[in-house]
Every structure is written in C-alpha cells, then in structure tokens.
Amino acid sequence: MRPPIPDHHHLIAHQVARPPQHEPYDDPRPARCTARTYDGDVVTLDGVVTARARGMLAFRADYPGWGEWTAWVEQGCCEALSAGYRDSSPT
C-alpha cells in the first residue's frame, strides 16, 4: 500500500507546463512570488527563481508539510529580493 499523498492545494500552481527551452540559473535568485494556489487562493511567498523561459520563471519555495516545490509562473508574478542582479529583477 502506498503512503498517503500530502495535501497539495496550498502550493503555487503551475501556470504552464515546463517549457522545453528554458535557461537554468547557476545561482538561484531570491524572489517574492504572488500567484494562485491549486485551491485558487492568491498567496505571496519568498523563495528563489531557478530558471526562465519565454516570459516564465521557475519559482521554488519551501512549503510546510510538503517541502520544496517549483512552479512555472508568469514573470510578472515575481519580484527580486536582493540587489546585485541586472535591473533588480529575478529574470
């Protein structure tokens, strides 16, 4: 018997499937993401952007009861949390 699957409704939902041609970052970029969860609620979380592709970003955060989760979200959902990146954007 398989163990129960943890509740995923509080995770930020993918806005697109993983883009085939994406550019991973060597160093994840700290960011704040505001997006919808699988429940449909809008949440704001701090995490990191790990890749980009055609106006989309891979946003990764740690979720209580789940662990790390990465969702592809529109670029406008994320804002940079630290300076030092070109134009202070996570992209």
Side-chain angles (χ1 to χ4, degrees):
M1 181 174 192
R2 290 199 275 181
I5 297 172
D7 182 17
H8 70 281
H9 294 98
H10 64 294
L11 303 177
I12 288 181
H14 288 284
Q15 296 176 358
V16 297
R18 180 178 168 190
Q21 296 179 2
H22 64 280
E23 176 187 336
Y25 293 130
D26 290 333
D27 296 314
R29 300 174 181 197
R32 178 167 293 139
C33 182
T34 301
R36 291 199 181 279
T37 64
Y38 283 103
D39 262 347
D41 299 324
V42 176
V43 298
T44 300
L45 294 170
D46 291 350
V48 293
V49 171
T50 60
R52 69 177 177 168
R54 291 183 255 140
M56 305 300 290
L57 298 173
F59 176 76
R60 183 178 73 208
D62 190 39
Y63 294 82
W66 185 273
E68 285 187 348
W69 172 255
T70 301
W72 282 95
V73 298
E74 293 179 9
Q75 182 174 331
C77 293
C78 294
E79 63 180 284
L81 288 181
S82 63
Y85 294 114
R86 186 183 67 228
D87 76 336
S88 290
S89 124
T91 57

